[in-house]
Amino acid sequence: MTDRLQGLSIPEHIAIILDGNGRWAAKHNVPRAQGHRAGCETLEGIVEDCARLGVKYLTVYAFSTENWKRSSEEVGALMQLFRFYMVKLIDIAMKNDIRVKMIGDLSRFDPDIRAGVEKLIEKTSDNEGMTFAFAVNYGGRDELRRAVMSMAQDGTDLMNLTEKDISDHLDTGGMPDPDLLIRTSGELRISNFLLWQIAYSEIYVTDTLWPDFHRTELEDALIAYNRRSRRFGGR
Ligand code: IPE
Ligand code: IPE
Ligand code: MG
């Protein structure tokens, strides 16, 4: 832990909307795919930083249910990146005692990507240090829709439905809600991320573009988080 974080509390669950890869690419006059590659490298660093800081859960939004609307060239480049990243993530996870979990609807991905994901999940399933939930083809509304279907299927008593029933049937079932939600690149919106789970998350938005978000910027977010007064509606 560096001096700047001395005495500060570390959120149990950090969620990140990683945004700005495209703007980073435009700023550097390179193709968008290169911005996504740079974003991937940044993600590797942040995953390790969070694990070392003692964060128990890190959830990262990498591809939304709406991102399929992008050009086939960009979607193809992102799929190619996932293929490589799934393999690389095994090493990072094993070195840092990280369990990887996927959230989102994986059924839309090519079979080889799904196989890579399964391997990643299985290989890291006994790790206990930090859970890294990677959100791909994820949408908060789609997740709620699928949760309702699974409740109907498994015989949940819908006439006496509890909030816990809903939480448990979401992709994030078993995880606590995020304490801190970070969005890079300055957009002041949620873009369909974790709609149910962020009810009381502290929101931190920075203008820094995702590929430029490193340890120092993470520390800035943690310092800002520590200044918040979380009341959860009580006094
Ligand atoms: C975030 O970067 C990554 C994905 C959504 C896949 P963007 O690609 O959204 O970057 P901007 O918003 O165009 O800068
Ligand atoms: C949100 O970013 C989705 C991810 C980070 C995966 P977008 O760039 O897709 O969101 P909008 O279009 O700015 O709302
Ligand atoms: Mg964006």
Side-chain angles (χ1 to χ4, degrees), residues 43 47 58 60 85 89 98-101 130-134:
L43 182 57
V47 167
L58 173 68
V60 172
Y85 194 60
L89 205 48
I98 296 167
R99 183 170 68 109
V100 182
K101 179 182 164 76
M130 180 177 87
T131 296
F132 172 44
F134 199 34

Side-chain angles (χ1 to χ4, degrees), residues 102 104 111:
M102 304 298 290

Side-chain angles (χ1 to χ4, degrees), residues 18-23 32 36 62 67 70 74 78:
L18 64 81
D19 197 17
N21 292 349
R23 276 161 279 180
R32 287 183 69 86
H36 294 311
N67 287 150
R70 297 189 180 193
E74 181 168 358
L78 284 164

Side-chain angles (χ1 to χ4, degrees), residues 144-231:
L144 280 161
R145 179 188 66 82
R146 288 184 288 105
V148 172
M149 290 202 301
S150 80
M151 287 190 285
Q153 247 159 19
D154 74 8
T156 302
D157 182 358
L158 296 179
M159 294 312 289
N160 292 293
L161 194 65
T162 65
E163 291 188 1
K164 186 173 183 301
D165 287 329
I166 296 176
S167 294
D168 288 348
H169 285 79
L170 295 172
D171 297 344
T172 50
M175 292 168 62
D177 290 338
D179 300 293
L180 171 63
L181 171 67
I182 297 172
R183 181 163 188 153
T184 56
S185 300
E187 307 294 358
L188 300 176
R189 57 177 170 258
I190 298 300
S191 302
N192 203 10
F193 191 41
L194 302 178
L195 298 179
W196 173 270
Q197 299 90 331
I198 58 168
Y200 272 103
S201 304
E202 294 299 325
I203 300 176
Y204 176 85
V205 177
T206 171
D207 285 336
T208 302
L209 305 173
W210 173 252
D212 296 328
F213 190 89
H214 300 297
R215 168 78 189 211
T216 307
E217 289 72 27
L218 176 65
E219 288 178 4
D220 291 343
L222 294 174
I223 290 165
Y225 170 78
N226 271 265
R227 290 201 199 104
R228 305 284 176 89
S229 157
R230 303 188 74 190
R231 292 188 289 272

Side-chain angles (χ1 to χ4, degrees), residues 10-73:
I10 300 296
E12 184 183 20
H13 184 174
I14 299 179
I16 303 179
I17 300 174
L18 64 81
D19 197 17
N21 292 349
R23 276 161 279 180
W24 185 92
K27 191 175 142 190
H28 291 85
N29 228 350
V30 295
R32 287 183 69 86
Q34 205 164 315
H36 294 311
R37 276 197 292 277
C40 250
E41 280 172 32
T42 294
L43 182 57
E44 287 165 24
I46 290 295
V47 167
E48 287 200 324
D49 288 335
C50 286
R52 288 180 191 145
L53 284 167
V55 172
K56 296 304 286 176
Y57 299 88
L58 173 68
T59 302
V60 172
Y61 199 15
F63 192 85
S64 73
T65 45
E66 289 72 49
N67 287 150
W68 298 102
K69 291 188 236 166
R70 297 189 180 193
S71 72
S72 59
E73 189 191 351

